[in-house]
Amino acid sequence: MDGATFQALIEGLLSTLNVTTLLLMSAGIVAGFVIGILPGLGGTAALALMLPFTFAMDPVSAFALLLGMLASSTTASDLTSVVLGVPGDAVSTALVLDGYGMSKRGQGGRAIGAVLTSSMLGALAGAFVLAIAVPVVRPIVLAMGSPELFAVTLLGITTVGAVVSGAPIKGLILAAFGVMLSTVGQDPQTGVMRYTFGEPELWGGLGLVPVTIGMFALPEIFDMAVRNTSVAGTAADRIDSVMAGVRDTFRHWWLVLRSAVIAIFIGLLPGLGGSVAQWVSYGHAVQGAKDKDLVGKGAIEGVIGPGTASNAKDGASLIPTVAFGVPGSVSMAILLGAFLIQGLVPGPSMLTTQLPLTFSFVWVLIFSNIVTVVLCLLVARRLRALTTVSGRVLFAPVMVLLLVASFAEKRSFLDVLIMVGFGVLGWFMMKLDWPRAPFVLGFVLGGLAERYLFISVDRYGMGWVTRPGVILLGGLTVLGLVVPITLRIRAARVRGAAEHQQPPEGERADATDAGGPPASGAGSSREPRGST
Amino acid sequence: MAMLQHDRWRGLLRVLLAMLAMALLASACGDTDDGTTGAADDDSPAEEEPEDDTGAETEEPEDEPEEEPAENGDVSFEGETVRVLISQSPGGGFDTYARMLAGAIGNYLPGNPDVIAENMPGGAAVVMSNFLTHQSPRDGTEFGTFLPGVALGAVVDQEGNEFDPHAVNWLGTPLPNVVQCAFRNDLGFETFDDLVESGQTVTVSSTGFGGNTYYVPAILAEYGYGDFDIVIGYEGSSEARLAVEQGEADGICAQGVVDTSPEWFEEGGLASVLIQTGDGTETESIEDVPTWQELDVPEEGRSMMAIADALDGIGRAWAMPPEVPDDVVTVVRDAFETAWTEDEDLLAQAEQGGFPIDFRDHTFTENHVDSITSVEEDQLPLIMKLFYGEES
């Protein structure tokens, strides 16, 4: 970091340290937390509604309010994913797998501790890396054209498809199914309708909120209500479990740093949303999980990775927003609206002459995250208690929230039906042990992948595949595909050899899978032993 | 075991019944979607008239609304949420103008409703205009801003376009457009003549068929003024502009480029505007930059340019859905005009942010719409080619 950047960093800090700014930030944090904790609603609507109130403020105050709200709603959304298995918004879905898995194993408190701590450390690491990277941020962003962005979307889909599910082929097929469903609606290139069946409400495609909460939240709450169990089932929780999660996170500091770097890199890319950052971080984190059997069912690495990413990406995704005017998410788009109204013009000046202002945004994010985490830790015990509440008690209030959330996005009753439809699909997938994560990521990234591929071919012909960035990212994608499949083939051979040597004793019961539904195909998706 | 199964099925049944009840509840709450609630109710038999609404004269809530339309003073948006629909992705000029209006217009609508802005990008604004035509409630609680190309799309039966430019209720525009074509300086062109005479293929980024990022370079190229490779598919104007910064595109034709990317045009900047649409008399025209009306093109080309100029004259057009009661339309139009011309905060924000305002009311827009919808049958193949990329 050169002297001028350091000076800008300090100036940015000083501009945030005044009473008005801190009070507005606190107001934003409280509002964001309350809205973010409601499943499916997220902070985007709150940001949009709050926007007009910022018009009369100075830029630092306006962004203190909005960024405070963004940071706390992001963290609160993560918590609902962990505690109830209901993603607060589409960005938080990666935390459902292992975060909710831990809750089902009676380790809800530990998962909350881990997600909160990793979230805070992610924000700090994100800001730190960003401060160092400012001089090279612009060249990096400018080097990432449509071909590279397509390669990143492909990397995201295959990472999750191949790594996360533990069943690469099945995962990839479901990711492809998600991509297919993302094409519903009007073709952005030609305006032609695809799979809309003459239904105007489908012209804009299937809504992300109804699909996501239908796929993840509905089956879980439905299953719990039918079985009349709580999230944690009969698994006992430990009294000190929140602090255990905090300690886990510090123990995995190297993973926190790596996840933060991944999230920052993806957050910097213009046009890609936060869910990509969280999913790729998740994929990376679980690759190094100590106990592969627990992946997707409660591995601590699968909580720390995406937990770190969820706030680390926010600082980074400010950069394409302020420096290029291209927001990576709806939240950032709303921030951009506030930005323009404040008379600030997105452009290179935000990384040079206006750098103190840009850093003040980063500082607000840091402070907001710290305050949010402290706030959440205060209520963590009560949140953890939710995991012991009976499913039949939880069913009605959670269903109301899910219905409202799916209806509210477009005020469409069809979206309620879509949510229920995907809930049924998700329930079958859950029972058949088909991974839902690759499907959702395929759905999220399919539209982007199509757009970037179309532009790449239109602009460069087939020459786009020879660009260095594409080759690098493509290589990572191929590795992400080949390595897990190779490992599985090797594991199958080892298992086959073992079966030849030993008399058949029937299926080995898996004692570690407490709380979760019996997984019919689980035996085939587990690594035997010693596999890396 | 059998008892357990029985309990499980009873539980399942209860859950299904509860879901059904919830779905019915959501359905009942969803009446605004088909316009059965909202401000339009004030024009229908008023069963629960709010007391002393806005201090205006109150009429007896009688049962004959169709015979005697209610006075404008009866229209109220109290307790409603008005949605401002934006046909482009966030971050561009359309978005900013719309959000400025969203922050102001609630002050001038009776009942001071909350106003939220919502982006609905896709299909060069066809997605939003179709939504406005078919799905927006007919009560004044939704109106939107979109690319004017959808009006032409409706005329040529563009696939998927179900917009009816004569059925919607136009509100006007805060600024008629002028499209500026900016090209990277590293191409070495100092004037538009340089570009044309070079014969070099120049890549321009575009959001899609039907939009001015497509049809302006297409018309220029058709009549020998530049060899443009138009790359379509960028999600919005901000992404298309970024492509120019990245070098993925050599240039872009879009309205307000000098306002949205001012640093491009500073000394030693990235790009220069070499040609613009219109005839130079428009508010947004740039001095010393040639207009396409000055170019030597055949009569057929001139008529295409005239259609394009009419489309851009519609500008950042705003409209309400069809079938909105007249008194509601009048109230919203008044509020719309007052917001753009008198709201001090909005005007200050526009000045602070460098967003010019040259308000034109709905009659101005309707005149341009008429000139677009009166194209001759034999012009359609050429229009399809130049505006929608479809060779006959």
Side-chain angles (χ1 to χ4, degrees), chain A residues 49 138 144 146 186 201 333 336 340-342 403 411 451 459, chain B residues 22 33 90-91 96 100 116 127 130 135 142 233 245-246 248 352:
Chain A
L49 283 173
R138 201 172 155 78
M144 299 297 288
S146 296
Q186 195 166 36
E201 287 190 54
L336 183 64
L340 294 168
I341 289 295
Q342 291 291 340
L403 289 167
R411 292 192 306 159
R451 180 185 297 279
R459 170 65 179 84
Chain B
M22 299 289 179
D33 218 20
T96 309
M100 286 196 293
I116 58 171
V127 169
N130 282 348
Q135 288 178 267
E142 267 184 19
E245 288 198 43
Q246 289 175 318
E248 192 163 287
Q352 180 177 285

PDB file of all heavy atoms in Angstrom, chain A residues 49 138 144 146 186 201 333 336 340-342 403 411 451 459, chain B residues 22 33 90-91 96 100 116 127 130 135 142 233 245-246 248 352:
ATOM      1  N   LEU A  49     -36.679   1.043  -0.029  1.00  0.00           N
ATOM      2  CA  LEU A  49     -37.612   1.938   0.658  1.00  0.00           C
ATOM      3  C   LEU A  49     -36.876   3.061   1.387  1.00  0.00           C
ATOM      4  O   LEU A  49     -37.381   4.174   1.513  1.00  0.00           O
ATOM      5  CB  LEU A  49     -38.457   1.140   1.662  1.00  0.00           C
ATOM      6  CG  LEU A  49     -39.574   0.309   1.052  1.00  0.00           C
ATOM      7  CD1 LEU A  49     -40.221  -0.564   2.113  1.00  0.00           C
ATOM      8  CD2 LEU A  49     -40.623   1.199   0.398  1.00  0.00           C
ATOM      9  N   ARG A 138      -8.548  -1.767 -10.758  1.00  0.00           N
ATOM     10  CA  ARG A 138      -9.086  -1.336 -12.050  1.00  0.00           C
ATOM     11  C   ARG A 138      -8.562  -2.197 -13.207  1.00  0.00           C
ATOM     12  O   ARG A 138      -9.352  -2.664 -14.026  1.00  0.00           O
ATOM     13  CB  ARG A 138      -8.778   0.145 -12.260  1.00  0.00           C
ATOM     14  CG  ARG A 138      -9.672   0.788 -13.266  1.00  0.00           C
ATOM     15  CD  ARG A 138      -9.510   2.278 -13.354  1.00  0.00           C
ATOM     16  NE  ARG A 138      -9.935   2.701 -14.675  1.00  0.00           N
ATOM     17  CZ  ARG A 138     -11.186   2.840 -15.051  1.00  0.00           C
ATOM     18  NH1 ARG A 138     -12.153   2.605 -14.196  1.00  0.00           N
ATOM     19  NH2 ARG A 138     -11.500   3.190 -16.277  1.00  0.00           N
ATOM     20  N   MET A 144     -11.422  -8.424 -17.170  1.00  0.00           N
ATOM     21  CA  MET A 144     -12.444  -9.470 -17.096  1.00  0.00           C
ATOM     22  C   MET A 144     -13.599  -9.155 -18.047  1.00  0.00           C
ATOM     23  O   MET A 144     -14.623  -8.591 -17.640  1.00  0.00           O
ATOM     24  CB  MET A 144     -12.962  -9.611 -15.663  1.00  0.00           C
ATOM     25  CG  MET A 144     -11.894  -9.997 -14.653  1.00  0.00           C
ATOM     26  SD  MET A 144     -11.140 -11.612 -14.952  1.00  0.00           S
ATOM     27  CE  MET A 144     -12.462 -12.673 -14.479  1.00  0.00           C
ATOM     28  N   SER A 146     -16.417 -10.412 -21.207  1.00  0.00           N
ATOM     29  CA  SER A 146     -17.485 -11.417 -21.228  1.00  0.00           C
ATOM     30  C   SER A 146     -16.958 -12.857 -21.243  1.00  0.00           C
ATOM     31  O   SER A 146     -17.507 -13.721 -20.549  1.00  0.00           O
ATOM     32  CB  SER A 146     -18.408 -11.183 -22.430  1.00  0.00           C
ATOM     33  OG  SER A 146     -19.040  -9.944 -22.297  1.00  0.00           O
ATOM     34  N   GLN A 186     -38.218 -14.555 -21.393  1.00  0.00           N
ATOM     35  CA  GLN A 186     -37.887 -13.931 -22.675  1.00  0.00           C
ATOM     36  C   GLN A 186     -36.385 -13.944 -22.910  1.00  0.00           C
ATOM     37  O   GLN A 186     -35.606 -13.557 -22.038  1.00  0.00           O
ATOM     38  CB  GLN A 186     -38.384 -12.490 -22.661  1.00  0.00           C
ATOM     39  CG  GLN A 186     -38.434 -11.858 -24.017  1.00  0.00           C
ATOM     40  CD  GLN A 186     -39.230 -10.577 -23.994  1.00  0.00           C
ATOM     41  OE1 GLN A 186     -39.196  -9.826 -23.023  1.00  0.00           O
ATOM     42  NE2 GLN A 186     -39.956 -10.310 -25.050  1.00  0.00           N
ATOM     43  N   GLU A 201     -46.858 -13.951 -16.859  1.00  0.00           N
ATOM     44  CA  GLU A 201     -46.093 -13.847 -15.611  1.00  0.00           C
ATOM     45  C   GLU A 201     -44.777 -14.608 -15.676  1.00  0.00           C
ATOM     46  O   GLU A 201     -43.911 -14.415 -14.826  1.00  0.00           O
ATOM     47  CB  GLU A 201     -46.925 -14.352 -14.433  1.00  0.00           C
ATOM     48  CG  GLU A 201     -48.029 -13.388 -14.059  1.00  0.00           C
ATOM     49  CD  GLU A 201     -48.681 -13.771 -12.750  1.00  0.00           C
ATOM     50  OE1 GLU A 201     -47.962 -13.929 -11.759  1.00  0.00           O
ATOM     51  OE2 GLU A 201     -49.911 -13.911 -12.732  1.00  0.00           O
ATOM     52  N   ALA A 333     -27.127  -2.168  -6.739  1.00  0.00           N
ATOM     53  CA  ALA A 333     -27.804  -1.281  -7.690  1.00  0.00           C
ATOM     54  C   ALA A 333     -28.514  -0.157  -6.955  1.00  0.00           C
ATOM     55  O   ALA A 333     -28.498   1.007  -7.388  1.00  0.00           O
ATOM     56  CB  ALA A 333     -28.805  -2.087  -8.511  1.00  0.00           C
ATOM     57  N   LEU A 336     -26.073   2.209  -5.858  1.00  0.00           N
ATOM     58  CA  LEU A 336     -25.627   3.024  -6.983  1.00  0.00           C
ATOM     59  C   LEU A 336     -26.598   4.173  -7.238  1.00  0.00           C
ATOM     60  O   LEU A 336     -26.188   5.291  -7.544  1.00  0.00           O
ATOM     61  CB  LEU A 336     -25.499   2.160  -8.247  1.00  0.00           C
ATOM     62  CG  LEU A 336     -24.973   2.878  -9.484  1.00  0.00           C
ATOM     63  CD1 LEU A 336     -23.543   3.350  -9.266  1.00  0.00           C
ATOM     64  CD2 LEU A 336     -25.040   1.977 -10.699  1.00  0.00           C
ATOM     65  N   LEU A 340     -25.533   8.076  -7.313  1.00  0.00           N
ATOM     66  CA  LEU A 340     -25.731   9.045  -8.389  1.00  0.00           C
ATOM     67  C   LEU A 340     -26.492  10.268  -7.886  1.00  0.00           C
ATOM     68  O   LEU A 340     -26.185  11.404  -8.257  1.00  0.00           O
ATOM     69  CB  LEU A 340     -26.494   8.392  -9.548  1.00  0.00           C
ATOM     70  CG  LEU A 340     -25.738   7.270 -10.266  1.00  0.00           C
ATOM     71  CD1 LEU A 340     -26.663   6.490 -11.178  1.00  0.00           C
ATOM     72  CD2 LEU A 340     -24.580   7.842 -11.069  1.00  0.00           C
ATOM     73  N   ILE A 341     -27.497   9.998  -7.064  1.00  0.00           N
ATOM     74  CA  ILE A 341     -28.289  11.106  -6.547  1.00  0.00           C
ATOM     75  C   ILE A 341     -27.427  12.040  -5.701  1.00  0.00           C
ATOM     76  O   ILE A 341     -27.656  13.246  -5.646  1.00  0.00           O
ATOM     77  CB  ILE A 341     -29.469  10.552  -5.704  1.00  0.00           C
ATOM     78  CG1 ILE A 341     -30.503   9.895  -6.621  1.00  0.00           C
ATOM     79  CG2 ILE A 341     -30.118  11.630  -4.874  1.00  0.00           C
ATOM     80  CD1 ILE A 341     -31.189  10.836  -7.568  1.00  0.00           C
ATOM     81  N   GLN A 342     -26.405  11.494  -5.060  1.00  0.00           N
ATOM     82  CA  GLN A 342     -25.512  12.313  -4.241  1.00  0.00           C
ATOM     83  C   GLN A 342     -24.586  13.167  -5.104  1.00  0.00           C
ATOM     84  O   GLN A 342     -23.767  13.917  -4.578  1.00  0.00           O
ATOM     85  CB  GLN A 342     -24.665  11.407  -3.334  1.00  0.00           C
ATOM     86  CG  GLN A 342     -25.446  10.703  -2.240  1.00  0.00           C
ATOM     87  CD  GLN A 342     -25.962  11.656  -1.178  1.00  0.00           C
ATOM     88  OE1 GLN A 342     -25.461  12.765  -1.024  1.00  0.00           O
ATOM     89  NE2 GLN A 342     -27.002  11.247  -0.468  1.00  0.00           N
ATOM     90  N   LEU A 403     -44.799 -17.747   2.330  1.00  0.00           N
ATOM     91  CA  LEU A 403     -45.821 -17.345   1.354  1.00  0.00           C
ATOM     92  C   LEU A 403     -45.728 -15.854   1.063  1.00  0.00           C
ATOM     93  O   LEU A 403     -45.789 -15.429  -0.094  1.00  0.00           O
ATOM     94  CB  LEU A 403     -47.216 -17.697   1.884  1.00  0.00           C
ATOM     95  CG  LEU A 403     -47.544 -19.191   1.912  1.00  0.00           C
ATOM     96  CD1 LEU A 403     -48.800 -19.460   2.726  1.00  0.00           C
ATOM     97  CD2 LEU A 403     -47.725 -19.718   0.493  1.00  0.00           C
ATOM     98  N   ARG A 411     -45.528  -9.578  -6.452  1.00  0.00           N
ATOM     99  CA  ARG A 411     -46.953  -9.553  -6.120  1.00  0.00           C
ATOM    100  C   ARG A 411     -47.707 -10.504  -7.045  1.00  0.00           C
ATOM    101  O   ARG A 411     -48.704 -10.161  -7.668  1.00  0.00           O
ATOM    102  CB  ARG A 411     -47.512  -8.134  -6.237  1.00  0.00           C
ATOM    103  CG  ARG A 411     -46.952  -7.212  -5.181  1.00  0.00           C
ATOM    104  CD  ARG A 411     -47.700  -5.924  -5.127  1.00  0.00           C
ATOM    105  NE  ARG A 411     -47.775  -5.281  -6.413  1.00  0.00           N
ATOM    106  CZ  ARG A 411     -48.680  -4.382  -6.736  1.00  0.00           C
ATOM    107  NH1 ARG A 411     -49.603  -4.036  -5.886  1.00  0.00           N
ATOM    108  NH2 ARG A 411     -48.685  -3.823  -7.925  1.00  0.00           N
ATOM    109  N   ARG A 451     -25.816 -15.372 -21.321  1.00  0.00           N
ATOM    110  CA  ARG A 451     -25.570 -14.013 -21.821  1.00  0.00           C
ATOM    111  C   ARG A 451     -24.103 -13.822 -22.192  1.00  0.00           C
ATOM    112  O   ARG A 451     -23.771 -13.354 -23.278  1.00  0.00           O
ATOM    113  CB  ARG A 451     -25.979 -13.013 -20.739  1.00  0.00           C
ATOM    114  CG  ARG A 451     -25.787 -11.556 -21.114  1.00  0.00           C
ATOM    115  CD  ARG A 451     -26.104 -10.661 -19.939  1.00  0.00           C
ATOM    116  NE  ARG A 451     -27.490 -10.760 -19.524  1.00  0.00           N
ATOM    117  CZ  ARG A 451     -28.500 -10.133 -20.110  1.00  0.00           C
ATOM    118  NH1 ARG A 451     -28.245  -9.362 -21.157  1.00  0.00           N
ATOM    119  NH2 ARG A 451     -29.722 -10.256 -19.673  1.00  0.00           N
ATOM    120  N   ARG A 459     -18.745 -11.619 -30.301  1.00  0.00           N
ATOM    121  CA  ARG A 459     -17.671 -10.628 -30.389  1.00  0.00           C
ATOM    122  C   ARG A 459     -16.358 -11.233 -30.895  1.00  0.00           C
ATOM    123  O   ARG A 459     -15.650 -10.641 -31.683  1.00  0.00           O
ATOM    124  CB  ARG A 459     -17.461  -9.999 -29.003  1.00  0.00           C
ATOM    125  CG  ARG A 459     -16.223  -9.127 -28.843  1.00  0.00           C
ATOM    126  CD  ARG A 459     -16.293  -7.874 -29.708  1.00  0.00           C
ATOM    127  NE  ARG A 459     -15.117  -7.036 -29.540  1.00  0.00           N
ATOM    128  CZ  ARG A 459     -13.970  -7.206 -30.176  1.00  0.00           C
ATOM    129  NH1 ARG A 459     -13.836  -8.204 -31.022  1.00  0.00           N
ATOM    130  NH2 ARG A 459     -12.961  -6.388 -29.985  1.00  0.00           N
TER     131      ARG A 459
ATOM    132  N   MET B  22     -53.223 -21.098   3.815  1.00  0.00           N
ATOM    133  CA  MET B  22     -52.236 -20.033   3.581  1.00  0.00           C
ATOM    134  C   MET B  22     -52.310 -19.534   2.141  1.00  0.00           C
ATOM    135  O   MET B  22     -52.243 -18.347   1.864  1.00  0.00           O
ATOM    136  CB  MET B  22     -50.818 -20.570   3.828  1.00  0.00           C
ATOM    137  CG  MET B  22     -50.563 -21.049   5.209  1.00  0.00           C
ATOM    138  SD  MET B  22     -50.493 -19.716   6.385  1.00  0.00           S
ATOM    139  CE  MET B  22     -50.205 -20.625   7.874  1.00  0.00           C
ATOM    140  N   ASP B  33     -53.090  -7.216  -7.678  1.00  0.00           N
ATOM    141  CA  ASP B  33     -52.503  -7.649  -8.939  1.00  0.00           C
ATOM    142  C   ASP B  33     -53.449  -7.498 -10.118  1.00  0.00           C
ATOM    143  O   ASP B  33     -53.034  -7.255 -11.235  1.00  0.00           O
ATOM    144  CB  ASP B  33     -52.070  -9.115  -8.790  1.00  0.00           C
ATOM    145  CG  ASP B  33     -50.785  -9.373  -9.503  1.00  0.00           C
ATOM    146  OD1 ASP B  33     -50.053  -8.408  -9.768  1.00  0.00           O
ATOM    147  OD2 ASP B  33     -50.536 -10.518  -9.805  1.00  0.00           O
ATOM    148  N   PRO B  90     -30.329  -1.494 -13.170  1.00  0.00           N
ATOM    149  CA  PRO B  90     -29.951  -0.379 -12.309  1.00  0.00           C
ATOM    150  C   PRO B  90     -28.619   0.235 -12.735  1.00  0.00           C
ATOM    151  O   PRO B  90     -27.761  -0.437 -13.282  1.00  0.00           O
ATOM    152  CB  PRO B  90     -29.798  -1.044 -10.933  1.00  0.00           C
ATOM    153  CG  PRO B  90     -30.554  -2.310 -11.029  1.00  0.00           C
ATOM    154  CD  PRO B  90     -30.447  -2.752 -12.446  1.00  0.00           C
ATOM    155  N   GLY B  91     -28.501   1.509 -12.462  1.00  0.00           N
ATOM    156  CA  GLY B  91     -27.211   2.158 -12.674  1.00  0.00           C
ATOM    157  C   GLY B  91     -27.145   3.064 -13.877  1.00  0.00           C
ATOM    158  O   GLY B  91     -26.277   3.910 -13.967  1.00  0.00           O
ATOM    159  N   THR B  96     -31.679   6.248 -13.005  1.00  0.00           N
ATOM    160  CA  THR B  96     -31.488   7.405 -12.131  1.00  0.00           C
ATOM    161  C   THR B  96     -32.653   8.378 -12.239  1.00  0.00           C
ATOM    162  O   THR B  96     -33.162   8.877 -11.229  1.00  0.00           O
ATOM    163  CB  THR B  96     -30.175   8.108 -12.493  1.00  0.00           C
ATOM    164  OG1 THR B  96     -29.149   7.133 -12.515  1.00  0.00           O
ATOM    165  CG2 THR B  96     -29.847   9.171 -11.469  1.00  0.00           C
ATOM    166  N   MET B 100     -35.237   9.369  -9.221  1.00  0.00           N
ATOM    167  CA  MET B 100     -35.484  10.763  -8.812  1.00  0.00           C
ATOM    168  C   MET B 100     -36.989  11.019  -8.751  1.00  0.00           C
ATOM    169  O   MET B 100     -37.498  11.631  -7.809  1.00  0.00           O
ATOM    170  CB  MET B 100     -34.816  11.740  -9.790  1.00  0.00           C
ATOM    171  CG  MET B 100     -33.312  11.809  -9.632  1.00  0.00           C
ATOM    172  SD  MET B 100     -32.586  13.251 -10.443  1.00  0.00           S
ATOM    173  CE  MET B 100     -32.880  12.880 -12.163  1.00  0.00           C
ATOM    174  N   ILE B 116     -42.123   3.150  -4.534  1.00  0.00           N
ATOM    175  CA  ILE B 116     -40.888   2.362  -4.659  1.00  0.00           C
ATOM    176  C   ILE B 116     -40.549   2.174  -6.140  1.00  0.00           C
ATOM    177  O   ILE B 116     -41.439   2.125  -6.989  1.00  0.00           O
ATOM    178  CB  ILE B 116     -40.980   0.985  -3.971  1.00  0.00           C
ATOM    179  CG1 ILE B 116     -42.133   0.153  -4.532  1.00  0.00           C
ATOM    180  CG2 ILE B 116     -41.120   1.131  -2.482  1.00  0.00           C
ATOM    181  CD1 ILE B 116     -42.132  -1.284  -4.042  1.00  0.00           C
ATOM    182  N   VAL B 127     -40.086  -6.644 -21.892  1.00  0.00           N
ATOM    183  CA  VAL B 127     -40.587  -7.332 -20.701  1.00  0.00           C
ATOM    184  C   VAL B 127     -41.436  -6.382 -19.858  1.00  0.00           C
ATOM    185  O   VAL B 127     -42.571  -6.687 -19.479  1.00  0.00           O
ATOM    186  CB  VAL B 127     -39.417  -7.895 -19.871  1.00  0.00           C
ATOM    187  CG1 VAL B 127     -39.902  -8.369 -18.509  1.00  0.00           C
ATOM    188  CG2 VAL B 127     -38.761  -9.047 -20.603  1.00  0.00           C
ATOM    189  N   ASN B 130     -44.666  -5.089 -21.705  1.00  0.00           N
ATOM    190  CA  ASN B 130     -45.703  -6.135 -21.711  1.00  0.00           C
ATOM    191  C   ASN B 130     -46.352  -6.256 -20.343  1.00  0.00           C
ATOM    192  O   ASN B 130     -47.557  -6.430 -20.217  1.00  0.00           O
ATOM    193  CB  ASN B 130     -45.085  -7.488 -22.085  1.00  0.00           C
ATOM    194  CG  ASN B 130     -44.849  -7.621 -23.570  1.00  0.00           C
ATOM    195  OD1 ASN B 130     -45.341  -6.815 -24.354  1.00  0.00           O
ATOM    196  ND2 ASN B 130     -44.088  -8.615 -23.961  1.00  0.00           N
ATOM    197  N   GLN B 135     -50.336  -6.735 -16.941  1.00  0.00           N
ATOM    198  CA  GLN B 135     -50.408  -7.140 -15.541  1.00  0.00           C
ATOM    199  C   GLN B 135     -50.496  -6.001 -14.533  1.00  0.00           C
ATOM    200  O   GLN B 135     -50.910  -6.239 -13.406  1.00  0.00           O
ATOM    201  CB  GLN B 135     -49.188  -8.007 -15.212  1.00  0.00           C
ATOM    202  CG  GLN B 135     -49.271  -9.368 -15.852  1.00  0.00           C
ATOM    203  CD  GLN B 135     -48.035 -10.176 -15.560  1.00  0.00           C
ATOM    204  OE1 GLN B 135     -47.098 -10.182 -16.325  1.00  0.00           O
ATOM    205  NE2 GLN B 135     -48.030 -10.858 -14.436  1.00  0.00           N
ATOM    206  N   GLU B 142     -49.300   1.909 -10.600  1.00  0.00           N
ATOM    207  CA  GLU B 142     -48.090   1.487 -11.320  1.00  0.00           C
ATOM    208  C   GLU B 142     -47.963   2.249 -12.615  1.00  0.00           C
ATOM    209  O   GLU B 142     -48.922   2.357 -13.380  1.00  0.00           O
ATOM    210  CB  GLU B 142     -48.142  -0.022 -11.621  1.00  0.00           C
ATOM    211  CG  GLU B 142     -47.484  -0.850 -10.561  1.00  0.00           C
ATOM    212  CD  GLU B 142     -47.446  -2.336 -10.881  1.00  0.00           C
ATOM    213  OE1 GLU B 142     -47.601  -2.713 -12.062  1.00  0.00           O
ATOM    214  OE2 GLU B 142     -47.270  -3.109  -9.956  1.00  0.00           O
ATOM    215  N   GLY B 233     -26.711  -7.959 -26.520  1.00  0.00           N
ATOM    216  CA  GLY B 233     -26.868  -8.867 -25.378  1.00  0.00           C
ATOM    217  C   GLY B 233     -26.411  -8.298 -24.046  1.00  0.00           C
ATOM    218  O   GLY B 233     -26.573  -8.961 -23.019  1.00  0.00           O
ATOM    219  N   GLU B 245     -15.022   0.407 -22.099  1.00  0.00           N
ATOM    220  CA  GLU B 245     -13.852   0.643 -21.235  1.00  0.00           C
ATOM    221  C   GLU B 245     -12.915  -0.561 -21.255  1.00  0.00           C
ATOM    222  O   GLU B 245     -11.704  -0.419 -21.193  1.00  0.00           O
ATOM    223  CB  GLU B 245     -14.296   0.916 -19.799  1.00  0.00           C
ATOM    224  CG  GLU B 245     -14.946   2.268 -19.632  1.00  0.00           C
ATOM    225  CD  GLU B 245     -14.989   2.708 -18.176  1.00  0.00           C
ATOM    226  OE1 GLU B 245     -13.985   2.526 -17.476  1.00  0.00           O
ATOM    227  OE2 GLU B 245     -16.039   3.237 -17.766  1.00  0.00           O
ATOM    228  N   GLN B 246     -13.492  -1.752 -21.344  1.00  0.00           N
ATOM    229  CA  GLN B 246     -12.672  -2.973 -21.333  1.00  0.00           C
ATOM    230  C   GLN B 246     -11.994  -3.225 -22.678  1.00  0.00           C
ATOM    231  O   GLN B 246     -11.114  -4.062 -22.775  1.00  0.00           O
ATOM    232  CB  GLN B 246     -13.542  -4.186 -20.995  1.00  0.00           C
ATOM    233  CG  GLN B 246     -14.011  -4.210 -19.546  1.00  0.00           C
ATOM    234  CD  GLN B 246     -14.963  -5.347 -19.281  1.00  0.00           C
ATOM    235  OE1 GLN B 246     -15.835  -5.627 -20.097  1.00  0.00           O
ATOM    236  NE2 GLN B 246     -14.832  -5.982 -18.129  1.00  0.00           N
ATOM    237  N   GLU B 248     -13.677  -4.427 -25.103  1.00  0.00           N
ATOM    238  CA  GLU B 248     -14.469  -5.468 -25.758  1.00  0.00           C
ATOM    239  C   GLU B 248     -15.243  -4.862 -26.925  1.00  0.00           C
ATOM    240  O   GLU B 248     -15.525  -5.535 -27.913  1.00  0.00           O
ATOM    241  CB  GLU B 248     -15.417  -6.100 -24.740  1.00  0.00           C
ATOM    242  CG  GLU B 248     -16.085  -7.361 -25.207  1.00  0.00           C
ATOM    243  CD  GLU B 248     -16.658  -8.150 -24.023  1.00  0.00           C
ATOM    244  OE1 GLU B 248     -15.877  -8.752 -23.267  1.00  0.00           O
ATOM    245  OE2 GLU B 248     -17.891  -8.141 -23.860  1.00  0.00           O
ATOM    246  N   GLN B 352     -27.419  18.593  -9.244  1.00  0.00           N
ATOM    247  CA  GLN B 352     -26.241  18.085  -8.540  1.00  0.00           C
ATOM    248  C   GLN B 352     -25.639  16.878  -9.255  1.00  0.00           C
ATOM    249  O   GLN B 352     -24.430  16.749  -9.391  1.00  0.00           O
ATOM    250  CB  GLN B 352     -26.653  17.674  -7.128  1.00  0.00           C
ATOM    251  CG  GLN B 352     -25.533  17.133  -6.281  1.00  0.00           C
ATOM    252  CD  GLN B 352     -26.009  16.805  -4.869  1.00  0.00           C
ATOM    253  OE1 GLN B 352     -26.218  17.681  -4.058  1.00  0.00           O
ATOM    254  NE2 GLN B 352     -26.206  15.544  -4.581  1.00  0.00           N
TER     255      GLN B 352
END
